[in-house]
Short mmCIF file of all heavy atoms in Angstrom, two decimals:
data_model
loop_
_atom_site.label_atom_id
_atom_site.label_comp_id
_atom_site.label_asym_id
_atom_site.label_seq_id
_atom_site.Cartn_x
_atom_site.Cartn_y
_atom_site.Cartn_z
N MET A 1 81.91 -58.37 130.49
CA MET A 1 82.29 -59.76 130.30
C MET A 1 82.50 -59.86 128.69
O MET A 1 83.57 -60.50 128.29
CB MET A 1 81.34 -60.73 130.78
CG MET A 1 81.65 -62.09 130.68
SD MET A 1 80.71 -63.24 131.59
CE MET A 1 79.75 -63.89 130.31
N TRP A 2 81.64 -59.45 127.98
CA TRP A 2 81.66 -59.56 126.48
C TRP A 2 82.89 -58.94 125.95
O TRP A 2 83.64 -59.40 125.09
CB TRP A 2 80.37 -59.03 125.86
CG TRP A 2 80.54 -59.09 124.31
CD1 TRP A 2 80.52 -57.98 123.47
CD2 TRP A 2 80.61 -60.34 123.46
NE1 TRP A 2 80.77 -58.38 122.28
CE2 TRP A 2 80.71 -59.66 122.21
CE3 TRP A 2 80.59 -61.59 123.64
CZ2 TRP A 2 80.86 -60.55 121.03
CZ3 TRP A 2 80.74 -62.35 122.58
CH2 TRP A 2 80.79 -61.90 121.25
N ASN A 3 83.16 -57.65 126.43
CA ASN A 3 84.35 -56.91 125.95
C ASN A 3 85.67 -57.72 126.04
O ASN A 3 86.47 -57.70 125.11
CB ASN A 3 84.42 -55.66 126.53
CG ASN A 3 83.33 -54.66 126.15
OD1 ASN A 3 82.80 -54.89 125.06
ND2 ASN A 3 83.02 -53.67 126.96
N THR A 4 85.81 -58.27 127.21
CA THR A 4 87.12 -59.08 127.48
C THR A 4 87.25 -60.27 126.49
O THR A 4 88.38 -60.38 125.80
CB THR A 4 87.08 -59.48 128.87
OG1 THR A 4 86.97 -58.42 129.75
CG2 THR A 4 88.44 -60.24 129.18
N CYS A 5 86.24 -60.91 126.37
CA CYS A 5 86.24 -62.08 125.43
C CYS A 5 86.43 -61.56 123.95
O CYS A 5 87.31 -62.23 123.26
CB CYS A 5 84.91 -62.88 125.46
SG CYS A 5 84.84 -64.34 124.55
N HIS A 6 85.83 -60.60 123.66
CA HIS A 6 85.96 -60.04 122.24
C HIS A 6 87.33 -59.57 121.92
O HIS A 6 88.04 -59.76 120.90
CB HIS A 6 85.05 -58.81 122.03
CG HIS A 6 85.00 -58.23 120.67
ND1 HIS A 6 84.60 -58.86 119.56
CD2 HIS A 6 85.52 -57.11 120.27
CE1 HIS A 6 84.77 -58.12 118.50
NE2 HIS A 6 85.27 -56.90 118.86
N LEU A 7 88.02 -58.87 122.99
CA LEU A 7 89.44 -58.40 122.76
C LEU A 7 90.38 -59.52 122.70
O LEU A 7 91.22 -59.53 121.91
CB LEU A 7 89.88 -57.47 123.93
CG LEU A 7 89.13 -56.11 124.00
CD1 LEU A 7 89.52 -55.37 125.33
CD2 LEU A 7 89.50 -55.26 122.80
N ASP A 8 90.24 -60.62 123.51
CA ASP A 8 91.13 -61.76 123.41
C ASP A 8 90.91 -62.45 122.12
O ASP A 8 91.94 -62.96 121.47
CB ASP A 8 90.88 -62.75 124.55
CG ASP A 8 91.39 -62.20 125.92
OD1 ASP A 8 92.21 -61.27 125.85
OD2 ASP A 8 90.90 -62.53 126.92
N ALA A 9 89.73 -62.67 121.73
CA ALA A 9 89.44 -63.33 120.33
C ALA A 9 90.04 -62.55 119.15
O ALA A 9 90.64 -63.03 118.27
CB ALA A 9 87.99 -63.44 120.08
N SER A 10 89.96 -61.07 119.26
CA SER A 10 90.55 -60.18 118.34
C SER A 10 92.01 -60.42 118.20
O SER A 10 92.69 -60.39 117.23
CB SER A 10 90.15 -58.83 118.50
OG SER A 10 88.72 -58.62 118.38
N ALA A 11 92.73 -60.41 119.46
CA ALA A 11 94.04 -60.55 119.47
C ALA A 11 94.56 -61.86 118.98
O ALA A 11 95.54 -61.98 118.22
CB ALA A 11 94.56 -60.45 120.99
N ALA A 12 93.83 -63.02 119.25
CA ALA A 12 94.26 -64.25 118.68
C ALA A 12 94.07 -64.22 117.11
O ALA A 12 94.87 -64.79 116.38
CB ALA A 12 93.29 -65.31 119.26
N TRP A 13 93.08 -63.55 116.60
CA TRP A 13 92.77 -63.51 115.20
C TRP A 13 93.88 -62.71 114.49
O TRP A 13 94.49 -63.05 113.51
CB TRP A 13 91.51 -62.80 114.90
CG TRP A 13 91.24 -62.72 113.38
CD1 TRP A 13 91.15 -61.57 112.64
CD2 TRP A 13 90.96 -63.71 112.44
NE1 TRP A 13 90.93 -61.84 111.37
CE2 TRP A 13 90.68 -63.18 111.16
CE3 TRP A 13 90.94 -65.20 112.56
CZ2 TRP A 13 90.56 -63.94 110.08
CZ3 TRP A 13 90.60 -65.94 111.40
CH2 TRP A 13 90.43 -65.24 110.28
N ALA A 14 94.25 -61.57 115.23
CA ALA A 14 95.52 -60.75 114.66
C ALA A 14 96.80 -61.60 114.66
O ALA A 14 97.50 -61.56 113.70
CB ALA A 14 95.58 -59.58 115.52
N LEU A 15 96.97 -62.48 115.63
CA LEU A 15 98.17 -63.21 115.81
C LEU A 15 98.20 -64.31 114.52
O LEU A 15 99.18 -64.61 114.05
CB LEU A 15 98.16 -64.02 117.07
CG LEU A 15 99.38 -64.78 117.34
CD1 LEU A 15 100.62 -63.88 117.40
CD2 LEU A 15 99.27 -65.55 118.75
N VAL A 16 96.97 -64.84 114.32
CA VAL A 16 96.92 -65.64 113.24
C VAL A 16 97.23 -65.17 111.95
O VAL A 16 97.97 -65.61 111.04
CB VAL A 16 95.48 -66.40 113.19
CG1 VAL A 16 95.22 -67.14 111.84
CG2 VAL A 16 95.23 -67.30 114.31
N LEU A 17 96.74 -63.80 111.79
CA LEU A 17 97.01 -63.17 110.49
C LEU A 17 98.55 -62.79 110.37
O LEU A 17 99.13 -62.96 109.29
CB LEU A 17 96.14 -61.93 110.38
CG LEU A 17 94.62 -62.18 110.12
CD1 LEU A 17 93.89 -60.93 110.23
CD2 LEU A 17 94.46 -63.01 108.81
N VAL A 18 99.09 -62.16 111.39
CA VAL A 18 100.44 -61.77 111.45
C VAL A 18 101.47 -62.96 111.24
O VAL A 18 102.33 -62.82 110.50
CB VAL A 18 100.72 -61.03 112.78
CG1 VAL A 18 102.24 -60.79 112.88
CG2 VAL A 18 100.09 -59.74 112.78
N LEU A 19 101.25 -64.09 111.83
CA LEU A 19 102.06 -65.22 111.78
C LEU A 19 101.72 -66.08 110.54
O LEU A 19 102.41 -67.06 110.27
CB LEU A 19 102.01 -66.14 112.94
CG LEU A 19 102.46 -65.36 114.28
CD1 LEU A 19 102.34 -66.31 115.46
CD2 LEU A 19 103.94 -64.90 114.16
N ASP A 20 100.71 -65.65 109.79
CA ASP A 20 100.25 -66.42 108.63
C ASP A 20 100.02 -67.86 108.91
O ASP A 20 100.63 -68.87 108.20
CB ASP A 20 101.29 -66.36 107.58
CG ASP A 20 100.65 -66.78 106.17
OD1 ASP A 20 99.41 -66.64 106.01
OD2 ASP A 20 101.49 -67.06 105.30
N LEU A 21 99.36 -68.17 109.98
CA LEU A 21 98.99 -69.61 110.30
C LEU A 21 97.82 -70.05 109.63
O LEU A 21 96.91 -69.24 109.25
CB LEU A 21 98.77 -69.72 111.86
CG LEU A 21 99.86 -69.25 112.86
CD1 LEU A 21 99.38 -69.34 114.24
CD2 LEU A 21 101.08 -70.19 112.69
N SER A 22 97.80 -71.18 109.25
CA SER A 22 96.67 -71.73 108.59
C SER A 22 96.29 -73.16 108.96
O SER A 22 97.08 -73.84 109.79
CB SER A 22 96.95 -71.88 107.03
OG SER A 22 98.00 -72.80 106.83
N GLY A 23 95.12 -73.61 108.72
CA GLY A 23 94.67 -75.01 109.11
C GLY A 23 94.54 -75.16 110.57
O GLY A 23 94.06 -74.20 111.31
N SER A 24 95.01 -76.28 111.05
CA SER A 24 94.74 -76.57 112.56
C SER A 24 95.56 -75.64 113.44
O SER A 24 95.14 -75.36 114.58
CB SER A 24 95.06 -78.07 112.77
OG SER A 24 96.44 -78.35 112.48
N ALA A 25 96.72 -75.28 113.15
CA ALA A 25 97.45 -74.34 113.89
C ALA A 25 96.70 -72.95 114.15
O ALA A 25 96.62 -72.53 115.33
CB ALA A 25 98.94 -73.96 113.34
N GLY A 26 96.25 -72.45 113.02
CA GLY A 26 95.51 -71.19 113.23
C GLY A 26 94.17 -71.43 113.99
O GLY A 26 93.94 -70.55 114.76
N ARG A 27 93.50 -72.54 113.72
CA ARG A 27 92.41 -72.71 114.55
C ARG A 27 92.62 -72.95 115.98
O ARG A 27 91.79 -72.55 116.89
CB ARG A 27 91.72 -74.11 113.90
CG ARG A 27 90.24 -74.31 114.52
CD ARG A 27 89.53 -75.45 113.94
NE ARG A 27 89.36 -75.09 112.53
CZ ARG A 27 89.60 -75.93 111.40
NH1 ARG A 27 90.11 -77.08 111.56
NH2 ARG A 27 89.36 -75.44 110.24
N GLY A 28 93.72 -73.70 116.29
CA GLY A 28 94.15 -73.84 117.73
C GLY A 28 94.30 -72.45 118.37
O GLY A 28 93.98 -72.25 119.53
N VAL A 29 95.14 -71.50 117.68
CA VAL A 29 95.32 -70.26 118.26
C VAL A 29 94.04 -69.53 118.58
O VAL A 29 93.78 -68.97 119.52
CB VAL A 29 96.21 -69.33 117.29
CG1 VAL A 29 96.33 -67.97 117.90
CG2 VAL A 29 97.66 -69.97 117.39
N LEU A 30 93.10 -69.56 117.60
CA LEU A 30 91.75 -68.92 117.63
C LEU A 30 90.94 -69.53 118.86
O LEU A 30 90.30 -68.79 119.68
CB LEU A 30 91.09 -69.00 116.41
CG LEU A 30 91.49 -68.18 115.32
CD1 LEU A 30 90.60 -68.47 114.03
CD2 LEU A 30 91.46 -66.67 115.61
N VAL A 31 90.91 -70.93 118.95
CA VAL A 31 90.24 -71.47 120.13
C VAL A 31 90.80 -71.23 121.39
O VAL A 31 90.13 -70.94 122.32
CB VAL A 31 90.19 -73.01 119.86
CG1 VAL A 31 89.66 -73.80 121.07
CG2 VAL A 31 89.30 -73.44 118.62
N GLY A 32 92.24 -71.15 121.42
CA GLY A 32 92.90 -70.80 122.69
C GLY A 32 92.54 -69.35 123.07
O GLY A 32 92.25 -69.03 124.28
N GLY A 33 92.49 -68.44 122.11
CA GLY A 33 92.12 -67.07 122.52
C GLY A 33 90.61 -66.97 122.91
O GLY A 33 90.40 -66.18 123.91
N ALA A 34 89.88 -67.72 122.30
CA ALA A 34 88.38 -67.65 122.82
C ALA A 34 88.30 -68.31 124.14
O ALA A 34 87.54 -67.69 125.00
CB ALA A 34 87.47 -68.51 121.75
N LEU A 35 89.07 -69.43 124.47
CA LEU A 35 88.92 -69.91 125.77
C LEU A 35 89.55 -69.01 126.88
O LEU A 35 88.98 -68.84 127.94
CB LEU A 35 89.70 -71.22 125.78
CG LEU A 35 89.03 -72.40 125.16
CD1 LEU A 35 89.88 -73.61 125.15
CD2 LEU A 35 87.70 -72.74 125.86
N LEU A 36 90.61 -68.32 126.50
CA LEU A 36 91.25 -67.40 127.42
C LEU A 36 90.20 -66.20 127.59
O LEU A 36 90.12 -65.82 128.83
CB LEU A 36 92.48 -66.77 126.78
CG LEU A 36 93.31 -65.84 127.67
CD1 LEU A 36 93.82 -66.51 128.86
CD2 LEU A 36 94.49 -65.36 126.88
N GLY A 37 89.60 -65.70 126.70
CA GLY A 37 88.68 -64.72 126.85
C GLY A 37 87.44 -65.15 127.70
O GLY A 37 87.01 -64.30 128.47
N ALA A 38 86.97 -66.38 127.46
CA ALA A 38 85.96 -66.80 128.17
C ALA A 38 86.28 -66.94 129.79
O ALA A 38 85.49 -66.51 130.69
CB ALA A 38 85.37 -68.10 127.75
N VAL A 39 87.40 -67.41 130.02
CA VAL A 39 87.97 -67.61 131.35
C VAL A 39 88.12 -66.12 132.03
O VAL A 39 87.63 -65.96 133.15
CB VAL A 39 89.30 -68.31 131.39
CG1 VAL A 39 89.95 -68.23 132.89
CG2 VAL A 39 89.05 -69.85 131.11
N ALA A 40 88.71 -65.17 131.23
CA ALA A 40 88.80 -63.91 131.79
C ALA A 40 87.46 -63.28 132.12
O ALA A 40 87.19 -62.52 133.07
CB ALA A 40 89.61 -62.98 130.79
N GLY A 41 86.49 -63.50 131.23
CA GLY A 41 85.13 -62.92 131.40
C GLY A 41 84.44 -63.55 132.63
O GLY A 41 83.80 -62.88 133.46
N VAL A 42 84.55 -64.84 132.84
CA VAL A 42 83.95 -65.56 134.04
C VAL A 42 84.68 -64.97 135.32
O VAL A 42 83.89 -64.82 136.29
CB VAL A 42 84.08 -67.10 133.79
CG1 VAL A 42 83.68 -67.80 135.15
CG2 VAL A 42 83.19 -67.59 132.80
N TRP A 43 86.00 -64.92 135.17
CA TRP A 43 86.72 -64.36 136.39
C TRP A 43 86.19 -62.87 136.84
O TRP A 43 86.13 -62.62 137.90
CB TRP A 43 88.23 -64.30 136.11
CG TRP A 43 88.95 -63.82 137.32
CD1 TRP A 43 89.80 -62.64 137.38
CD2 TRP A 43 89.02 -64.41 138.70
NE1 TRP A 43 90.21 -62.54 138.52
CE2 TRP A 43 89.84 -63.46 139.33
CE3 TRP A 43 88.39 -65.47 139.30
CZ2 TRP A 43 90.13 -63.73 140.72
CZ3 TRP A 43 88.73 -65.69 140.62
CH2 TRP A 43 89.57 -64.78 141.38
N ARG A 44 85.99 -62.18 135.77
CA ARG A 44 85.50 -60.74 135.93
C ARG A 44 84.13 -60.78 136.68
O ARG A 44 83.89 -60.06 137.60
CB ARG A 44 85.49 -60.00 134.77
CG ARG A 44 85.11 -58.58 134.70
CD ARG A 44 85.18 -57.95 133.49
NE ARG A 44 84.72 -56.50 133.59
CZ ARG A 44 84.73 -55.70 132.61
NH1 ARG A 44 85.06 -56.06 131.43
NH2 ARG A 44 84.23 -54.41 132.83
N LEU A 45 83.26 -61.66 136.18
CA LEU A 45 81.97 -61.82 136.69
C LEU A 45 81.98 -62.25 138.13
O LEU A 45 81.25 -61.75 139.01
CB LEU A 45 81.06 -62.84 135.86
CG LEU A 45 79.66 -63.03 136.35
CD1 LEU A 45 78.89 -61.84 136.37
CD2 LEU A 45 79.01 -64.13 135.57
N VAL A 46 82.75 -63.15 138.46
CA VAL A 46 82.88 -63.77 139.80
C VAL A 46 83.43 -62.64 140.86
O VAL A 46 82.87 -62.40 141.82
CB VAL A 46 83.87 -64.92 139.86
CG1 VAL A 46 84.29 -65.24 141.35
CG2 VAL A 46 83.23 -66.27 139.20
N ARG A 47 84.41 -61.85 140.33
CA ARG A 47 84.91 -60.68 141.17
C ARG A 47 83.78 -59.72 141.43
O ARG A 47 83.69 -59.22 142.63
CB ARG A 47 86.14 -60.02 140.50
CG ARG A 47 87.36 -60.82 140.56
CD ARG A 47 88.50 -59.99 139.99
NE ARG A 47 88.22 -58.64 139.75
CZ ARG A 47 88.80 -57.89 138.72
NH1 ARG A 47 89.51 -58.52 137.86
NH2 ARG A 47 88.50 -56.61 138.59
N VAL A 48 83.01 -59.41 140.38
CA VAL A 48 81.95 -58.42 140.73
C VAL A 48 80.85 -59.09 141.68
O VAL A 48 80.42 -58.25 142.51
CB VAL A 48 81.25 -58.04 139.31
CG1 VAL A 48 79.94 -57.25 139.51
CG2 VAL A 48 82.15 -57.25 138.44
N LEU A 49 80.51 -60.32 141.56
CA LEU A 49 79.51 -60.88 142.25
C LEU A 49 80.14 -60.99 143.76
O LEU A 49 79.29 -60.73 144.73
CB LEU A 49 79.14 -62.25 141.85
CG LEU A 49 78.36 -62.24 140.57
CD1 LEU A 49 78.06 -63.65 140.10
CD2 LEU A 49 77.01 -61.55 140.72
N LEU A 50 81.41 -61.34 143.91
CA LEU A 50 81.95 -61.34 145.30
C LEU A 50 81.88 -59.96 145.96
O LEU A 50 81.65 -59.70 147.09
CB LEU A 50 83.29 -61.86 145.19
CG LEU A 50 83.41 -63.35 144.94
CD1 LEU A 50 84.91 -63.86 144.83
CD2 LEU A 50 82.65 -64.14 146.07
N ARG A 51 82.16 -58.86 145.15
CA ARG A 51 82.24 -57.57 145.64
C ARG A 51 80.75 -57.13 146.05
O ARG A 51 80.56 -56.55 147.19
CB ARG A 51 82.74 -56.60 144.59
CG ARG A 51 82.94 -55.14 145.15
CD ARG A 51 83.48 -54.20 144.12
NE ARG A 51 82.63 -54.15 142.90
CZ ARG A 51 83.19 -54.10 141.61
NH1 ARG A 51 84.43 -54.03 141.46
NH2 ARG A 51 82.29 -54.03 140.72
N PHE A 52 79.72 -57.47 145.18
CA PHE A 52 78.38 -57.15 145.61
C PHE A 52 77.98 -57.90 146.95
O PHE A 52 77.33 -57.34 147.81
CB PHE A 52 77.46 -57.44 144.46
CG PHE A 52 77.59 -56.45 143.43
CD1 PHE A 52 77.19 -56.86 142.08
CD2 PHE A 52 77.76 -55.13 143.63
CE1 PHE A 52 77.21 -56.03 141.03
CE2 PHE A 52 77.68 -54.20 142.60
CZ PHE A 52 77.49 -54.68 141.30
N ASP A 53 78.46 -59.19 147.10
CA ASP A 53 78.13 -59.94 148.24
C ASP A 53 78.73 -59.38 149.45
O ASP A 53 78.13 -59.18 150.51
CB ASP A 53 78.58 -61.37 148.04
CG ASP A 53 78.12 -62.30 149.22
OD1 ASP A 53 76.99 -62.32 149.60
OD2 ASP A 53 79.04 -62.98 149.93
N GLU A 54 79.99 -58.94 149.37
CA GLU A 54 80.66 -58.25 150.42
C GLU A 54 79.91 -57.03 150.86
O GLU A 54 79.83 -56.70 152.09
CB GLU A 54 82.21 -57.95 150.15
CG GLU A 54 82.98 -57.35 151.15
CD GLU A 54 84.35 -56.95 150.80
OE1 GLU A 54 84.87 -57.57 149.72
OE2 GLU A 54 85.02 -56.21 151.48
N GLN A 55 79.54 -56.21 149.92
CA GLN A 55 78.81 -54.89 150.26
C GLN A 55 77.47 -55.27 150.86
O GLN A 55 77.07 -54.51 151.72
CB GLN A 55 78.63 -54.07 148.95
CG GLN A 55 79.90 -53.51 148.49
CD GLN A 55 79.69 -52.72 147.34
OE1 GLN A 55 78.55 -52.68 146.53
NE2 GLN A 55 80.83 -52.10 146.61
N ARG A 56 76.79 -56.29 150.47
CA ARG A 56 75.54 -56.60 150.97
C ARG A 56 75.68 -57.08 152.54
O ARG A 56 74.91 -56.66 153.33
CB ARG A 56 74.92 -57.71 150.21
CG ARG A 56 73.47 -58.22 150.70
CD ARG A 56 73.04 -59.50 149.95
NE ARG A 56 74.00 -60.61 150.06
CZ ARG A 56 73.94 -61.41 151.08
NH1 ARG A 56 73.19 -61.26 152.15
NH2 ARG A 56 74.85 -62.50 151.23
N ARG A 57 76.70 -57.83 152.67
CA ARG A 57 77.04 -58.32 154.13
C ARG A 57 77.33 -57.18 155.06
O ARG A 57 76.99 -57.16 156.18
CB ARG A 57 78.18 -59.41 154.07
CG ARG A 57 77.80 -60.61 153.59
CD ARG A 57 78.83 -61.55 153.38
NE ARG A 57 78.59 -62.76 152.67
CZ ARG A 57 78.41 -64.03 153.12
NH1 ARG A 57 78.45 -63.96 154.41
NH2 ARG A 57 78.13 -65.01 152.34
N MET A 58 78.00 -55.96 154.56
CA MET A 58 78.29 -54.93 155.24
C MET A 58 77.13 -53.97 155.38
O MET A 58 77.23 -52.99 156.19
CB MET A 58 79.46 -54.06 154.64
CG MET A 58 80.72 -55.00 154.73
SD MET A 58 81.99 -54.16 153.78
CE MET A 58 82.25 -52.64 154.78
N GLY A 59 75.97 -54.26 154.79
CA GLY A 59 74.81 -53.44 154.92
C GLY A 59 74.61 -52.35 153.97
O GLY A 59 73.84 -51.37 154.23
N HIS A 60 75.34 -52.23 152.94
CA HIS A 60 75.33 -51.05 151.97
C HIS A 60 74.30 -51.42 150.90
O HIS A 60 73.89 -52.42 150.44
CB HIS A 60 76.66 -50.95 151.21
CG HIS A 60 77.65 -50.33 152.24
ND1 HIS A 60 78.73 -51.04 152.55
CD2 HIS A 60 77.66 -49.18 152.86
CE1 HIS A 60 79.50 -50.38 153.36
NE2 HIS A 60 78.83 -49.18 153.63
#
């Protein structure tokens, strides 16, 4: 989960640097990247928990 969030935040930071965004525009890109990373991390956790639940129900 942490790796996904970290990669998205890093990509957002690189985008801010490449596009030379400053102020609220740059902050918006960083916050958007962090939110995207958080959503991706939660989705990954949910998928893992659902897979474990499915295996538990099958008796594994």
Side-chain angles (χ1 to χ4, degrees):
M1 186 167 100
W2 173 251
N3 290 338
T4 303
C5 183
H6 180 71
L7 289 176
D8 289 341
S10 296
W13 181 251
L15 187 62
V16 168
L17 292 177
V18 167
L19 296 179
D20 196 27
L21 298 174
S22 62
S24 62
R27 187 171 298 132
V29 171
L30 290 175
V31 169
L35 287 175
L36 182 63
V39 168
V42 169
W43 178 245
R44 183 175 176 184
L45 176 63
V46 167
R47 282 186 14 216
V48 167
L49 292 175
L50 288 174
R51 185 176 62 219
F52 284 149
D53 185 53
E54 181 182 342
Q55 289 177 354
R56 181 187 59 84
R57 289 174 189 255
M58 292 176 65
H60 291 114

